Every structure is written in structure tokens, then in C-alpha cells.
Amino acid sequence: MRAVFISILWTLLSGASSAAEPATVPPPAPEVDAASVTLFPDQGRLELKGAHLKGLRVAWKQDARAGDDVCVDPKPIAGAKDEQCAFALPRDLPADVSLSWSASGAVVAKGASPTPAQVLRPARVVIDRLLPAAMAVDLTSGAGRIPLLHAEAVSAVDCAPARCELSDASVLVRSVSGAATGVNVRVRLAPHVFSPRGDVLEAVVTRVVPVLHCQAAVVSGAPLRHAEGTRVVVRLDDRCGREARDLRWTTNGDVARVERVERTSDATYVQLAAAEIDDSQLTITASRAEPDASVLAVASVATRAAPQPRATLELPGFGRVAFIPTNRDAVLHMASVGESAHLVPLSVEGAYRVSTADHTVRVRAEESAGGFVALRFGYRATALPPAFDGTDLAILTESVQRPIREASVPAPLGESVSGPAPLIEMMCSDANGGARRIAPGPEASIPFSQRESCRLIIHRERLKVEEGTQDITVDVSVAKVDDSPRADAHVSERMVLRPGAAPRTFWIHGVQARFDRITVRVSHVVDEAHDIGGSEVNVNLPSAQWLIVVGEGHLRFYATAAIPTGLFRITAPSDVLTLNFGALSRLTWLDHEGHEGLLGLEFGAMGIGLAATPGFPRTLAVLGGVGVSVPIGNRGETSQASVNLHAWIAYELRDDVHEVPTDLTSPLASHWSFLFGPSITIGNVGTNL
């Protein structure tokens, strides 16, 4: 009894718990209208109608490939309860691709199992392209093939006037007469497969395919896309090339112009000027003129992107440059564009010209040109027949524009001055007034009388055009014999030189005294942005230098005023003569720069003992001897000051005195004496010998 009660109680509790849980309502299952399923393989689309399509997944499988798409937002159909949805598929699927659908993309009730995939068979398959757009039947070998883009959708085919049969995804055409210009191909599609013709779907596709009785091939390689002046060379069989100039040629439907026709023993080559190519494939068609308009030959070839020309310009001996020079040739180096083609630089009228010698390509801008220009190149194939070796199959333009300007190269001023035809030379006059060429470097001397005859001659007529503009500085300085500069004689002038018919003369001035030194320096003013090789040339480094001493002589004879201090009289009565004054004449040698020698012969008259000297009278002495002189100021000038050390033999013009003044019995002192001591001299009035 107790067991029965527990069982009844458990049953009541279980029912109450079940009643407390809300019931889950499963979503409605998708419903697909099988008659609405339409496949568009060439458009990559599948369309169908039905109910509850949101989340419906359509899967496809073809060989090793597979994929799927989900209906995210079905579109309602006006006036109907059904919905419509489109699914994306690859565009290269066949018409008989395997399809299936499932509700795995929709919301599934809790605890419910996913809907298994179901086979989806299209009610209609709509094919847009069955035969290639541009094609013809090549019957050169007696039979031709017409490729089928969807062979799986074709059930039968027939031709007129010819015999056709299906074979390996194509239509095999036989038994076509030599006079036929086209084959009427009638293709019957498989059940449920249609082809659109306007707004009507048809099960039979009819098309007239041109017949090719002549074999053609493009022998100029892959044409370039988006290139200027495109040309192609086509080879035709000799039997149909006789009328090549009379044929109507087209490239991808655009009319092409016949530029050249060359015949050989077994073929005819036709050079065509084509319009700019945009497509990845180029189809060339040769047809007879109206009213026949039958196609005689067709050739197809894949195109390639135009290569980007890459080139550099170089001035031999100076390296690369980023411009096109107007006054000299630049060597052009080009990068390769492949094994089967090469680039040839082309001259541009009014901008630059190209020349080739010894396998070296040179570029030179026109002298009157300016601004910027891009280099142009002809694209040439290496495997063309010999008659077309120089044919430019396209014109390519460099992506960068180069400036056109003069190339300035520092002229070898220093190297030329020692040669027979110097670019600059220093000329002075000799003692007789004749012209004298001064060599650079070593010191040269000219007479003081010809101090205004020196001039720097700059031979513009000897400058080379290819060296361009020369920017130089002429620096002239004049120094005294004591090396101090004459400030009013310094000149620094900057000159811009161009080749000309006459030389330019620069006169030298500023010499005021004998043995003044003229220093002339000529330097390049180098601008790295303007001068080629400027980074390798030191700025303002003298290219040539001259040093000229104005004055000649080996000896100097002059007069000076002397003030000996502490002159010592060695002979008796010996004593120090503290104050002396007189005039001296001095003879000494001169070096090549006018500097006096230390030692000289001296003659003069001197008042000695002018200050009170015990036992020695004031007297006048005529003297001669030697002296050591060191100029301390105004060297070489009239006001020259020097310190000296003398050794003289003097004859004193005085009365007799005793050797011991306090001893009258001592012998009388001799009028001849030997004097030794220092002095200060002021003055330098004389001449050079």
C-alpha cells in the first residue's frame, strides 16, 4: 500500500514539473519550389523560390573543389506568399555541377537535429556563352575545331555546308569546300538548358563561324599593353600573303594600318600599326574587302604589361649625372627588359639627340633646348626576321623627367699654365720693354721700372665648349719687403668665364716700392650642385699661383744716421764714449727678395765723445769698418730703423792729448783709434747695384 502511494505522488510531482517548463516551438522548415530553381553558370548565380528561405544553405561540388552560400536576406515576391533568394557561385562551374541544399544555416530548435542535405536539381540552366566570342575555323590542315565553352550542355550539333561532330569538348568540322567563307553551326542544347536571345530563352544556338583558309601567326612576340605606337608583325603563308596590302586588318576589332609587307620564299610578313592595347589577349583578323568581307586569317597572342625603362647617364671620368648636358655627350646605360627584347634610345627633335659609336650610346641635348624632358625608347624584339630588325614595336617613355642644362667641369687651369697653350698666363715686361712670360710657382723678378707692366691673361678662346661655364676667383695681393701687406693694393675679383673669341686681360697694380712682392692666385669657385665632380674638388683651392718681386739688385749702398750708445774706444786713452752721433754709408748684399745682409762695409763721419768724457775731448772722426745690422722697423723704406754692432778704424780730427790725461809726461795719443760698440740707425737712402 505504501509503495502504491509513493508511486502516485511521484507521478503528480513529475507532471507539475513538466507543466512548469515552457514548450519550445521549432521554426518552420524551408520549402524550395523545385520548378523555380535556375542556374546561371556564366554569371555565377543560382536563383530559387520558396518559403522560409532565411538561412537556407546551397552547397556545390565539382571534382576536388567545393563551396556553399547562405540566403541571408530573402526577398518577398509581390502578390505571393513565397520568397526569392539568389546564391553566389564561381563563374567557371559547368552546367552539370553537383548542387544540394540544407537548413543548416537557419535557426534550429533546441534538441532538434540539423536537416540533412538534399539534392538540388536546377529546373533551368541558362548559358550565356557557348562559343568563343572571337573565333574562326582554321581549315589549313583540312579539318578544324570549334571549342565549346560548355560541352556538357550540348546534346547534338550539325553544320552547313560541312560535316560536324562532337569530339573532346569541341566541334570537329570536316568536308568544307575551299570556296566556303563560313560554316553555319547549329548546336542543340541538352534538356532544361537554354541560351538567351534577347528576352527569349532558346534551346538551339545558331552561329556563323568564319572559315580560315590561311595560317597566321604573330612573330613579334607578346605585344605591350598601354604603350604608345604599338606595332605587330604577322606571318602569313605565302599562298595567301600576295594580297596582304589589300586585306582589311583589325586588332581586337579596331582597324589596323599596314605599314610594311616583306615577302620571303615561303611566307609573307606584314607589319601593322595597332591601336593602344588594353586587353590581355590580342586577336588579329585579316578579311577581304567589301562586299565579300570574309575572314581570311586570324592570329591570337597574349599581351604583356609594358616594361618600365630604367636608364642612367654618366659623364666619363666624372660619374653619374641626373641631367642631360647641352655641351658634351653623356654615356647612356640601360637596364635589361628581358631576353627576347631590348630597348633602343630615340632622339627627340628639339630636345636631345642620340648617337652610337663602338657599342656605346651617347646622349646630348640641343644647345637651344631647356626645361625638362623624359627619355624615349623604342621596344624591339630580338627574334624578328632580318628585314624588321630596326622596327620599334612600341615607344616607351621614362617615368622621370630630366633637366636640360650645361655640364660645367672645372677646367685644368693649373695643369695648362706650364704647357704651350695655357688657359691663363702671367705676362710682364723685361728691362727693355719686351714681353716676358712669368712661370707659375717659382719666384720671379722684374725691374722696378716695369712695375705697371704685369697682367693676367685669361684665354677664353682656349676653353673647350664641353667644359662649360668656369667660375673662378682672381686674388691679387702686394706685400712690402718686410712682409707687411699693402692694404690698398689687395684685389679679389670673381669671374664667370665662357668660351669666347678673345682673351680677357686683368692688369696688376699697387706696387709702390722696390722689392714689393706681387702674389696672384687663380682659383675655381666650385659649386657641387652646378659643377660636375664638385664634391671631389676643394673649394677655392688655388689652381695657379705666381710670385713676382718688383726690383733687382745684388748690392745695396745707402746712407743712414747713426746714434752709437756706449761706444768703446779701445786704443789709449781707452774709455766708453756715451754720446755719439754721425752719418754712415753702408754697402751690403741683397737676397732675391731685397732683404739686406747682416754684415756690411761702413764709412762715415761721427761726432764722438759729445757727452763729457774725462780725459777725452769732443771730436769729429772719419771712420770705416764693418757692421752687423738688423732692421727693426720699416725695412727697405727710407725711414728704416735698425740696431747695429760696429767695429771701426777711425781718424780723429782733434788736438793732441796725452794717453794719460793726468800725466803730462805720458806719450801723446794717436789720432788713429779702434772703436767698437752698438748703435741705432735711422734711414735708408741709397740705391741698388
Side-chain angles (χ1 to χ4, degrees):
M1 187 68 180
R2 183 180 179 182
V4 173
F5 176 77
I6 293 174
S7 177
I8 293 172
L9 180 61
W10 176 258
T11 302
L12 292 175
L13 292 175
S14 299
S17 176
S18 298
E21 294 182 0
T24 301
V25 180
E31 298 178 4
V32 177
D33 183 3
S36 67
V37 180
T38 305
L39 174 63
F40 300 88
D42 294 328
Q43 301 179 21
R45 191 173 81 255
L46 175 72
E47 294 182 355
L48 55 79
K49 299 177 182 178
H52 314 300
L53 299 182
K54 185 174 182 179
L56 181 69
R57 184 184 301 274
V58 172
W60 60 270
K61 184 176 182 182
Q62 177 66 27
D63 297 332
R65 298 191 303 160
D68 57 18
D69 192 18
V70 177
C71 179
V72 178
D73 186 17
K75 306 298 181 184
I77 301 175
K81 297 181 179 180
D82 290 345
E83 301 171 327
Q84 183 177 5
C85 202
F87 299 86
L89 304 175
R91 293 177 180 269
D92 57 349
L93 294 179
D96 57 354
V97 62
S98 176
L99 301 171
S100 62
W101 71 272
S102 65
S104 58
V107 178
V108 181
K110 182 177 180 182
S113 58
T115 304
Q118 301 184 40
V119 176
L120 183 64
R121 292 186 175 86
R124 286 185 302 274
V125 178
V126 181
I127 296 176
D128 296 331
R129 295 181 292 111
L130 183 62
L131 300 177
M135 57 133 339
V137 181
D138 186 0
L139 298 176
T140 305
S141 61
R145 289 184 179 272
I146 302 175
L148 294 173
L149 301 181
H150 290 283
E152 72 281 357
V154 177
S155 62
V157 63
D158 59 81
C159 303
R163 181 168 62 86
C164 298
E165 60 185 32
L166 294 174
S167 174
D168 297 332
S170 61
V171 178
L172 183 62
V173 182
R174 302 176 182 273
S175 303
V176 180
S177 65
T181 60
V183 175
N184 190 1
V185 180
R186 182 181 175 88
V187 179
R188 185 175 297 277
L189 301 177
H192 307 292
V193 180
F194 302 92
S195 177
R197 184 177 181 182
D199 296 334
V200 180
L201 297 178
E202 296 182 346
V204 177
V205 177
T206 302
R207 182 171 172 183
V208 177
V209 180
V211 174
L212 302 182
H213 295 283
C214 183
Q215 188 173 4
V218 177
V219 296
S220 54
L224 303 183
R225 295 191 296 271
H226 306 293
E228 178 185 352
T230 304
R231 294 185 177 93
V232 291
V233 179
V234 182
R235 182 187 185 279
L236 292 175
D237 289 341
D238 184 61
R239 60 187 179 89
C240 54
R242 299 178 182 275
E243 53 182 354
R245 286 192 176 275
D246 300 327
L247 298 177
R248 182 178 182 273
W249 295 85
T250 61
T251 55
N252 283 355
D254 298 322
V255 177
R257 186 178 77 256
V258 177
E259 292 185 334
R260 289 178 60 189
V261 176
E262 299 289 341
R263 298 190 61 190
T264 61
S265 59
D266 59 346
T268 299
Y269 295 92
V270 183
Q271 177 180 313
L272 302 174
E276 184 175 333
I277 302 172
D278 298 326
D279 302 328
S280 60
Q281 191 81 9
L282 179 66
T283 300
I284 302 174
T285 304
S287 59
R288 294 185 175 89
E290 299 290 349
D292 185 357
S294 59
V295 176
L296 180 65
V298 173
S300 295
V301 64
T303 62
R304 60 168 292 192
Q308 182 61 49
R310 297 188 301 274
T312 57
L313 293 175
E314 177 187 0
L315 290 182
F318 298 97
R320 291 185 179 182
V321 294
F323 62 93
I324 304 178
T326 58
N327 58 327
R328 64 190 304 158
D329 292 338
V331 177
L332 178 66
H333 301 282
M334 296 169 291
S336 174
V337 292
E339 297 181 355
S340 59
H342 63 281
L343 297 180
V344 176
L346 304 177
S347 299
V348 176
E349 186 68 26
Y352 66 87
R353 59 184 181 273
V354 178
S355 61
T356 304
D358 299 329
H359 305 288
T360 302
V361 181
R362 293 177 170 84
V363 179
R364 185 170 184 170
E366 301 289 348
E367 293 183 2
S368 59
F372 294 79
V373 68
L375 296 176
R376 290 166 61 86
F377 301 87
Y379 178 81
R380 298 182 182 179
T382 56
L384 282 174
F388 298 91
D389 282 344
T391 300
D392 295 328
L393 301 177
I395 305 298
L396 303 180
T397 304
E398 201 176 21
S399 59
V400 298
Q401 290 193 331
R402 302 172 186 265
I404 295 177
R405 66 175 178 85
E406 184 182 64
S408 295
V409 177
L413 302 179
E415 292 82 350
S416 70
V417 292
S418 58
L423 296 177
I424 52 176
E425 60 181 340
M426 178 65 69
M427 299 294 295
C428 295
S429 299
D430 56 18
N432 299 322
R436 174 189 173 189
R437 179 179 172 185
I438 306 299
E443 187 178 89
S445 297
I446 62 171
F448 182 72
S449 60
Q450 301 296 338
R451 59 188 177 278
E452 297 293 331
S453 67
C454 293
R455 66 271 188 195
L456 182 70
I457 301 177
I458 303 173
H459 293 280
R460 297 189 303 158
E461 75 280 6
R462 297 174 183 173
L463 289 174
K464 298 179 181 179
V465 175
E466 56 268 22
E467 292 171 344
T469 302
Q470 302 297 311
D471 193 353
I472 66 172
T473 295
V474 178
D475 187 88
V476 179
S477 60
V478 179
K480 304 176 184 178
V481 70
D482 62 353
D483 297 329
S484 61
R486 296 193 182 276
D488 55 344
H490 182 265
V491 177
S492 182
E493 182 172 340
R494 186 170 179 175
M495 301 180 182
V496 177
L497 304 177
R498 295 181 180 275
R504 179 178 293 182
T505 302
F506 187 88
W507 289 90
I508 310 299
H509 304 284
V511 175
Q512 298 180 10
R514 295 179 183 275
F515 291 102
D516 279 359
R517 296 196 311 278
I518 302 173
T519 302
V520 180
R521 297 181 178 91
V522 179
S523 307
H524 280 291
V525 179
V526 179
D527 182 0
E528 295 184 12
H530 180 263
D531 293 294
I532 307 303
S535 59
E536 301 175 2
V537 180
N538 292 327
V539 178
N540 294 336
L541 180 68
S543 299
Q545 180 171 304
W546 293 265
L547 181 60
I548 304 171
V549 178
V550 184
E552 295 177 330
H554 302 287
L555 299 175
R556 173 73 175 170
F557 181 74
Y558 64 92
T560 183
I563 307 175
T565 58
L567 189 64
F568 186 69
R569 188 177 187 275
I570 297 178
T571 56
S574 62
D575 202 349
V576 176
L577 307 176
T578 57
L579 179 60
N580 311 278
F581 180 79
L584 293 178
S585 61
R586 192 166 190 270
L587 178 65
T588 185
W589 73 86
L590 296 176
D591 63 10
H592 61 282
E593 293 184 351
H595 297 152
E596 299 177 17
L598 291 176
L599 188 64
L601 298 178
E602 297 175 338
F603 304 92
M606 183 75 59
I608 60 176
L610 300 180
T613 303
F616 191 83
R618 299 179 181 90
T619 186
L620 176 67
V622 179
L623 49 84
V626 295
V628 176
S629 177
V630 178
I632 58 175
N634 300 330
R635 175 185 293 178
E637 297 185 7
T638 304
S639 58
Q640 173 179 304
S642 305
V643 293
N644 310 268
L645 182 63
H646 308 283
W648 293 325
I649 297 176
Y651 182 81
E652 301 169 353
L653 303 176
R654 57 174 172 74
D655 294 334
D656 293 335
V657 295
H658 292 275
E659 292 183 356
V660 180
T662 59
D663 185 3
L664 298 178
T665 62
S666 63
L668 294 175
S670 175
H671 286 263
W672 292 95
S673 62
F674 181 74
L675 303 178
F676 177 80
S679 75
I680 296 176
T681 59
I682 299 174
N684 187 333
V685 180
T687 185
N688 296 331
L689 303 177

